[in-house]
Amino acid sequence: MQVNRRKFFKICAGSMAGTSAAMLGFAPATALAAPREYKLLRAKETRQTCTYCAVGCGMLMYSLGGEAMNSKGKLFHIEGDPDHPVSRGALCPKGAGALDYVNSDRRVQYPEVREAGSKEWKRISWHEAIERIAKHMKKDRDENFVTHNEAGVEVNRWMTAGFLAGSACSNETGIITQKFVRSLGMIYTDNQASI
Ligand code: SF4
């Protein structure tokens, strides 16, 4: 190939630019071969029990943000917990789709009450909700507590109310729940996840 002076300088400039780019790590082959950053790398991992049904599968939930002032955390990935004794990493489609209902605009995140005779639900504080529940429970217990059965045997039971514990409760919460409801004389109690 015949190379004149002008062509010679062009080739040199092109080679130098290519070499510099390669030295800086911009060689296309290297760039394409570089691994993408693992998307869960900086995420906060939280262990949870699926709240959907009584199987009680284990979940790993990954979120970002929420650690600093004015920063709101956002859940962005959910997968089965391989160490969970019930599900061993498996989730059914409902559990695997939990991300959508956790982040749904229509998710109710606070207590609401519909007063007797009203068609409207109104938002109340957690404090008010707990107080109202406690008042209803006391009134019902006062009116319906049974101290003796027909045969005169002392029974001390409250049979007009029941208590259902959530599936995401731990064993410890379950024991405390049992102690609480039994101390009130309540007979009907169950846990949504029978695990
Ligand atoms: S993942 Fe499916 S089977 Fe497991 S607790 Fe949730 S809804 Fe039930």
Side-chain angles (χ1 to χ4, degrees):
M1 180 173 72
Q2 284 287 338
V3 180
N4 60 25
R5 193 171 130 75
R6 183 180 292 269
K7 240 184 195 168
F8 174 77
F9 281 120
K10 260 192 185 168
I11 291 167
C12 286
S15 309
M16 279 176 69
T19 310
S20 309
M23 283 171 72
L24 289 169
F26 293 129
T30 315
L32 289 172
R36 279 173 51 213
E37 188 176 284
Y38 184 45
K39 75 172 181 178
L40 306 181
L41 209 55
R42 290 177 302 113
K44 178 177 163 196
E45 182 183 281
T46 307
R47 287 207 138 80
Q48 182 59 283
T49 306
C50 176
T51 53
Y52 237 129
C53 87
V55 177
C57 299
M59 286 175 160
L60 294 177
M61 310 178 89
Y62 295 90
S63 57
L64 279 176
E67 305 293 333
M69 204 192 292
N70 301 326
S71 139
K72 213 171 162 203
K74 170 115 175 155
L75 192 69
F76 71 95
H77 182 75
I78 289 179
E79 62 187 42
D81 181 354
D83 296 327
H84 198 275
V86 169
S87 48
R88 299 278 182 212
L91 289 178
C92 82
K94 281 189 295 181
L99 185 63
D100 290 334
Y101 67 76
V102 170
N103 289 326
S104 169
D105 295 343
R106 297 167 61 200
R107 180 177 163 211
V108 178
Q109 300 187 48
Y110 40 79
E112 291 180 317
V113 66
R114 196 180 65 170
E115 305 286 7
S118 168
K119 286 193 284 188
E120 305 298 325
W121 287 91
K122 82 168 182 214
R123 181 174 177 171
I124 56 173
S125 68
W126 284 101
H127 183 79
E128 188 182 348
I130 291 168
E131 209 169 77
R132 288 176 76 119
I133 292 167
K135 276 186 185 153
H136 283 304
M137 286 176 73
K138 177 161 185 350
K139 181 170 182 294
D140 188 67
R141 188 173 182 275
D142 287 349
E143 287 170 3
N144 298 296
F145 192 75
V146 178
T147 55
H148 294 80
N149 65 11
E150 299 79 20
V153 178
E154 189 172 8
V155 287
N156 290 329
R157 63 193 179 201
W158 176 22
M159 297 177 70
T160 50
F163 200 101
L164 185 65
S167 63
C169 294
S170 62
N171 282 346
E172 291 73 18
T173 312
I175 289 169
I176 292 169
T177 303
Q178 280 292 315
K179 286 188 182 297
F180 171 64
V181 298
R182 298 298 184 210
S183 69
L184 294 171
M186 197 179 277
I187 304 290
Y188 303 119
T189 178
D190 201 357
N191 192 315
Q192 191 244 334
S194 304
I195 51 176

